[in-house]
Amino acid sequence: MIWINTKKPMPILTTGLHTHSYGYYRPMKKWQFFVIPFLFLFYLYGSSVARKLQHFGISAVAGQTPAATGTKIPIDGKRWYQLNNISNGLEGLFDNDVNTKVLTGWGKILPNYDAYYPLQEGEEITIESVRFYDGEGIYKDKPLTLSIINEQWQRIPIATFTGEKYNSWVGPYPDRKTTGDAQFNLDSLVRGARYLVINSYSVFPNEIELYGTYKAGKTPTTAPAKTIQLKGMLGVNAFEWDFEDGNNPLVINESKMKAARAFRGIRHYMDWQKLEQTQGDYTFNPTHSGGWDYDVIYERCKAEGIEVLACLKTLPNWMVSSYPTDQRDAENIPVLYGKDYTNPKSYIEQAKVAFQYAARYGSNANVERSLLSVNSKPRWTNDRINTVKVGMDLIKYIECDNERDKWWKGRKAYQTGREYAANLSAFYDGHKNTLGAGVGVKNADPNMQVVMGGIASAYAGTDYVQGMVDWCKEFRGYKADGKVDLCWDVINYHLYSDNTNSSQGGSSSRGAAPEVSTAIKVAKNFIQMAHQIAYDMPVWITETGYDVNQGSPLKAIAVGNKTVLQTQADWILRTAMFYARAGIDRVFFYQMYDDNATNPVKFSSSGLINDNQTRKPAADYLCQFNKLLGEYYYKETLNSDPIVDRYELNGQSAYALVVPDEKGRTAEYSMDLDGAGWANVYTPVVGSDSMQVEKVQTTGGKLKLSVTETPIFVVPFKDSSVKVGAFQIYPNPATDHINVALNNANLGNLQVSIFNVRGQLYKQLAFNKSNTSFTAKVDLSTLPFGLYVVEVKQGTQKMSYKILKSQ
């Protein structure tokens, strides 16, 4: 039976051997049987005539599609990565669906770009023939080229697609008139590929098929589970003016410092201009741009136990001025105008300032001082001058720029993954020490960790990092242990959870709770990618958060009877818990203070500290979470709804429970606390340094809890005190103090020592026991929450017991 499609304005004629993907079919009328033979002849011999018919919506397909030579080679469409700001992958080219057009997104920065397909370890292909399914459109002036890259890094084109047929399979050589099976054959066998590469102008066939012989490679293993310390989830983005005042920038503002104590990490947005206002003249305390004292900020943060990630970003004015007037932007790619983005040498100026910074604030005291310099000229009479300092041991992490995939600023600010790898290679170690002395972070401090700039498009971020890794394979090679010589130590991306999963893409109308977004999928993709190609390198998120202005596309919303600020607090705390659960190593929230809370533009009202240096509810929650559980490690998730996470510190378990929703929902849960007789149940409280705590007795070691979208935390314990004979310590758990009681006939000096479970001494006190009964109060208020060992010595006798310090 032959059928005709009646849905299109012009009929599409088909035989029973070929069906269309849409439309309705009815039996053909008798007169139409006379048309088919002529169309069949056009199909076989008159391609030019058939092409003309296509312009009228008529297509003839008859007989079996010619087969290609060899066995079809399996291609995993998800393995392709693209070197452009794409929003969709290339899976559609290899999904066996010839009727669906492949679209990778709009508004791309690069009109012509590459997509790479890395072959896995042990995987081998020999390509005998190639065929493309030609859908709509003619692209002779914008051809798609399929190439291989061989073991010698030579790029060899093997097939071209120009779209000059319609709804039919075409071969690798569009200018040849070969028909039948031979039209798909390559002139010679293609072997030894380490990559397949597609170069395109964002126009694709509907399907690509390769034929030949195939040997499967080693199957990638799954990334191992991580144990994440919770305080690493409590970072924030900040500027120097969040610690010092502009009218007195050489000292710490104590009110601002008090606010900063809510966080355990600071991502310091540090403009290059501050360090090198004049090319080759470096300043740190004071910076000649702004007059800030970085030494004082970093010294104080270290004393407060706040880890600093220094994010060196933007271009100095002297570099910006090298650009034409209409292209000047401090967020351009960090090179002098006209430099080659693919050459590490182009980034030498940035790599030099990184060397100076790492030499000063890193841990290496043996840097060659002749390589160091500062601008020691005073700005005015009696101005404090800069001096060279080495190995101050204040900074462990430095980030190479910020969001180098800035598609919204055009090509002048957008680097591909391979271009950014060239940038990093200079920044990291002077491109393996080929750029001269005094260049690159590792040449100043081998211990300082280089963090790659956070990727703005998290949903395409793994593509970006794969391009970086493969550039290193080609241009940095391999270490003695066989690993790729990568030029960064931490993978880094940005993700703002929203209701359309666009992060910073602009299509959202509000933020979303982290558990209901695709944030977990993105995190898993990054962690698995780090496992497969980057040796389980740590993965950080250095920007995430929510606005409170209700005009923002990233706003937190009022849920149930909660205010917007309370929802923001819930979602921020849950984001910290979420990423510990997901296996992300560190999180930094955006940001410490609002830019302008009245502005509906995204990111303007995402601050966690008020302008008067008091904490917003979100900062309250993070501060309380750190105080209670910051030293603990995530161990496992016991339940999914409500979520029940178990944390652990030196054998002591604690639990977090939350409903993973944004509807104001409540759930009941019965916890098995392994025979514990009591538990402290903690609830975050707005406006407090500590959580609200309730001591609850269990029933047979089980505890029934009502769980909401605000997390609660449970710390179980079995004994209310330690009591052995005449010796007693109480209360246990303790909040701000313990009592040490001893009843014996031995008189004389008594020594009480407090150790953590790793044997580090926190406190040691001496007492005189002059009576049979003795009681002393020992202050614990300054100790972090956790397990401790109390050791009591009297003469030759020594007693040691564990206690739990809670809130």
Side-chain angles (χ1 to χ4, degrees):
M1 178 69 72
I2 300 178
W3 301 83
I4 184 169
N5 182 307
T6 60
K7 195 169 183 179
K8 294 197 72 171
M10 292 297 291
I12 296 179
L13 305 180
T14 119
T15 71
L17 296 175
H18 178 80
T19 58
H20 205 278
S21 61
Y22 54 88
Y24 300 96
Y25 296 90
R26 59 177 173 78
M28 294 180 62
K29 297 183 181 298
K30 290 182 179 178
W31 66 269
Q32 292 167 333
F33 280 91
F34 294 100
V35 178
I36 292 295
F38 292 98
L39 293 178
F40 183 67
L41 291 173
F42 287 148
Y43 172 73
L44 290 178
Y45 304 109
S47 60
S48 60
V49 179
R51 171 60 70 183
K52 292 177 182 177
L53 287 174
Q54 290 166 19
H55 290 292
F56 294 98
I58 300 174
S59 175
V61 182
Q64 198 70 38
T65 300
T69 304
T71 302
K72 185 177 178 181
I73 296 171
I75 299 294
D76 176 8
K78 294 182 178 180
R79 202 189 304 175
W80 289 91
Y81 68 85
Q82 302 174 71
L83 296 171
N84 208 349
N85 59 314
I86 51 87
S87 55
N88 299 305
L90 295 178
E91 293 94 326
L93 288 176
F94 307 93
D95 63 356
N96 299 312
D97 179 2
V98 298
N99 296 307
T100 303
K101 194 172 183 178
V102 176
L103 296 173
T104 55
W106 308 102
K108 295 187 182 68
I109 296 300
L110 305 178
N112 176 249
Y113 63 97
D114 289 335
Y116 278 65
Y117 185 84
L119 271 66
Q120 295 171 343
E121 181 182 348
E123 188 175 21
E124 296 178 6
I125 60 174
T126 299
I127 307 173
E128 300 177 27
S129 56
V130 177
R131 65 178 190 169
F132 306 97
Y133 192 82
D134 192 345
E136 297 179 357
I138 301 175
Y139 314 113
K140 194 166 185 179
D141 59 335
K142 296 181 177 179
L144 176 147
T145 303
L146 175 65
S147 304
I148 70 160
I149 292 178
N150 64 18
E151 291 296 327
Q152 290 74 43
W153 296 102
Q154 296 171 317
R155 183 165 174 153
I156 304 170
I158 63 172
T160 303
F161 172 76
T162 56
E164 294 179 77
K165 297 292 179 68
Y166 181 73
N167 281 1
S168 59
W169 289 101
V170 297
Y173 308 116
D175 295 332
R176 294 189 186 177
K177 304 300 182 182
T178 312
T179 60
D181 294 353
Q183 67 179 300
F184 306 119
N185 292 340
L186 297 174
D187 289 342
S188 59
L189 299 182
V190 174
R191 297 187 177 92
R194 68 161 73 204
Y195 299 92
L196 302 177
V197 182
I198 290 174
N199 178 269
S200 77
Y201 292 81
S202 288
V203 290
F204 303 95
N206 289 9
E207 195 77 8
I208 299 176
E209 292 182 348
L210 310 180
Y211 291 83
T213 59
Y214 175 75
K215 177 185 175 183
K218 184 178 179 180
T219 302
T221 58
T222 302
K226 289 186 176 183
T227 300
I228 303 297
Q229 191 170 32
L230 300 180
K231 69 179 181 181
M233 305 296 100
L234 308 177
V236 71
N237 286 264
F239 300 85
E240 47 267 23
W241 49 84
D242 297 334
F243 297 89
E244 299 172 341
D245 290 333
N247 58 1
N248 190 15
L250 300 180
V251 298
I252 295 292
N253 178 309
E254 292 301 328
S255 178
K256 292 181 177 181
M257 192 69 235
K258 181 180 178 181
R261 292 191 188 104
F263 310 101
R264 303 323 303 153
I266 297 293
R267 182 180 184 233
H268 177 203
Y269 273 118
M270 180 176 61
D271 290 316
W272 183 353
Q273 170 74 7
K274 303 291 193 305
L275 303 179
E276 196 179 359
Q277 184 179 36
T278 304
Q279 186 174 8
D281 290 334
Y282 306 103
T283 59
F284 305 94
N285 73 324
T287 63
H288 281 193
S289 174
W292 309 100
D293 190 328
Y294 286 172
D295 292 9
V296 169
I297 295 173
Y298 298 156
E299 287 169 343
R300 186 60 178 275
C301 283
K302 183 174 181 178
E304 298 281 354
I306 300 173
E307 192 79 72
V308 175
L309 163 63
C311 178
L312 178 63
K313 67 181 186 70
T314 64
L315 278 60
N317 292 342
W318 53 265
M319 182 171 280
V320 173
S321 64
S322 71
Y323 285 76
T325 304
D326 61 349
Q327 296 184 46
R328 291 178 180 175
D329 191 321
E331 293 186 319
N332 283 352
I333 295 171
V335 297
L336 291 165
Y337 179 71
K339 295 290 186 178
D340 179 2
Y341 298 156
T342 67
N343 188 344
K345 188 176 182 179
S346 299
Y347 304 94
I348 191 170
E349 290 82 10
Q350 188 195 51
K352 284 181 176 180
V353 71
F355 174 90
Q356 296 289 329
Y357 184 92
R360 185 181 189 89
Y361 295 120
S363 62
N364 181 19
N366 298 314
V367 183
E368 176 57 54
R369 284 181 172 263
S370 65
L371 299 175
L372 305 180
S373 66
V374 294
N375 183 345
S376 59
K377 296 178 182 178
R379 294 167 294 174
W380 48 74
T381 303
N382 297 323
D383 182 28
R384 193 171 71 183
I385 64 172
N386 277 267
T387 59
V388 171
K389 296 182 182 179
V390 177
M392 296 179 72
D393 196 20
L394 298 176
I395 300 294
K396 294 181 181 178
Y397 302 98
I398 185 168
E399 183 178 351
C400 180
D401 223 306
N402 176 58
E403 297 184 339
R404 280 280 35 111
D405 58 334
K406 290 182 176 69
W407 70 87
W408 60 93
K409 289 211 166 187
R411 178 56 169 146
K412 64 186 174 61
Y414 179 87
Q415 285 172 296
T416 68
R418 291 177 69 87
E419 291 167 351
Y420 181 58
N423 185 167
L424 272 170
S425 191
F427 188 91
Y428 191 77
D429 59 6
H431 189 46
K432 297 174 70 73
N433 296 308
T434 62
L435 301 182
V439 181
V441 170
K442 295 290 185 176
N443 291 322
D445 181 12
N447 298 317
M448 188 173 286
Q449 300 290 284
V450 173
V451 180
M452 62 168 281
I455 300 170
S457 180
Y459 300 102
T462 55
D463 278 22
Y464 199 88
V465 178
Q466 287 192 43
M468 293 165 57
V469 170
D470 286 341
W471 184 92
C472 289
K473 289 179 181 178
E474 183 173 358
F475 295 104
R476 290 181 60 91
Y478 295 79
K479 299 178 181 178
D481 61 2
K483 293 181 178 179
V484 180
D485 192 354
L486 301 178
C487 47
W488 66 97
D489 303 301
V490 177
I491 294 168
N492 178 16
Y493 71 95
H494 298 167
L495 191 144
Y496 294 83
S497 296
D498 62 52
N499 64 339
T500 61
N501 300 314
S502 68
S503 190
Q504 301 182 53
S507 64
S508 64
S509 61
R510 66 171 179 86
E515 305 91 346
V516 304
S517 72
T518 59
I520 187 62
K521 178 181 177 182
V522 175
K524 286 182 176 179
N525 286 344
F526 268 90
I527 292 168
Q528 181 61 26
M529 177 267 296
H531 174 65
Q532 285 184 215
I533 65 175
Y535 315 109
D536 293 305
M537 184 180 286
V539 179
W540 292 9
I541 294 175
T542 55
E543 284 189 30
T544 187
Y546 302 94
D547 286 324
V548 294
N549 187 298
Q550 293 302 283
S552 168
L554 294 175
K555 62 179 176 283
I557 59 173
V559 175
N561 60 359
K562 295 179 180 177
T563 66
V564 169
L565 283 171
Q566 288 172 323
T567 299
Q568 184 198 38
D570 280 354
W571 289 1
I572 289 287
L573 177 54
R574 284 161 56 181
T575 297
M577 298 162 55
F578 173 88
Y579 282 121
R581 187 183 312 124
I584 298 297
D585 294 88
R586 280 184 181 268
V587 173
F588 294 82
F589 291 97
Y590 191 88
Q591 60 180 341
M592 192 179 289
Y593 291 89
D594 292 326
D595 287 334
N596 181 357
T598 64
N599 190 338
V601 173
K602 60 187 176 184
F603 314 128
S604 297
S605 60
S606 53
L608 304 183
I609 303 293
N610 293 308
D611 289 342
N612 64 358
Q613 288 86 54
T614 60
R615 295 190 302 254
K616 291 184 181 181
D620 284 336
Y621 284 13
L622 294 181
C623 178
Q624 295 164 20
F625 183 65
N626 173 66
K627 187 175 181 181
L628 181 66
L629 297 167
E631 299 299 319
Y632 274 66
Y633 292 81
Y634 168 82
K635 297 299 290 186
E636 60 182 329
T637 296
L638 304 175
N639 196 66
S640 60
D641 194 358
I643 292 173
V644 181
D645 290 336
R646 185 176 74 84
Y647 307 143
E648 188 177 298
L649 178 64
N650 301 317
Q652 170 69 42
S653 289
Y655 302 88
L657 299 91
V658 67
V659 171
D661 217 330
E662 49 182 30
K663 303 175 183 177
R665 187 163 60 90
T666 300
E668 303 301 317
Y669 187 76
S670 179
M671 286 200 71
D672 186 345
L673 296 178
D674 193 27
W678 299 84
N680 281 347
V681 180
Y682 297 88
T683 305
V685 180
V686 173
S688 174
D689 290 338
S690 301
M691 294 190 193
Q692 175 184 309
V693 59
E694 180 184 6
K695 184 178 178 181
V696 182
Q697 187 173 5
T698 67
T699 302
K702 294 187 177 181
L703 188 64
K704 291 185 177 180
L705 296 163
S706 182
V707 187
T708 71
E709 293 175 17
T710 299
I712 59 174
F713 306 94
V714 177
V715 180
F717 51 93
K718 296 183 179 181
D719 302 311
S720 59
S721 67
V722 175
K723 185 175 182 180
V724 181
F727 176 67
Q728 185 177 13
I729 296 177
Y730 64 92
N732 186 27
T735 53
D736 57 359
H737 75 279
I738 56 171
N739 296 302
V740 178
L742 184 61
N743 192 322
N744 62 16
N746 190 2
L747 305 181
N749 292 334
L750 197 74
Q751 182 176 284
V752 177
S753 303
I754 310 292
F755 300 88
N756 67 16
V757 292
R758 292 184 290 274
Q760 296 171 311
L761 178 65
Y762 272 88
K763 179 174 290 192
Q764 193 169 73
L765 302 170
F767 301 96
N768 181 33
K769 182 175 180 289
S770 57
N771 297 305
T772 303
S773 297
F774 169 84
T775 302
K777 184 176 181 179
V778 179
D779 182 22
L780 304 180
S781 61
T782 60
L783 271 61
F785 177 65
L787 283 177
Y788 293 89
V789 176
V790 180
E791 180 185 271
V792 180
K793 292 178 66 176
Q794 188 183 31
T796 59
Q797 291 185 321
K798 182 170 67 173
M799 296 161 284
S800 299
Y801 301 99
K802 287 183 180 180
I803 64 166
L804 174 65
K805 163 68 165 62
S806 61
Q807 291 188 353

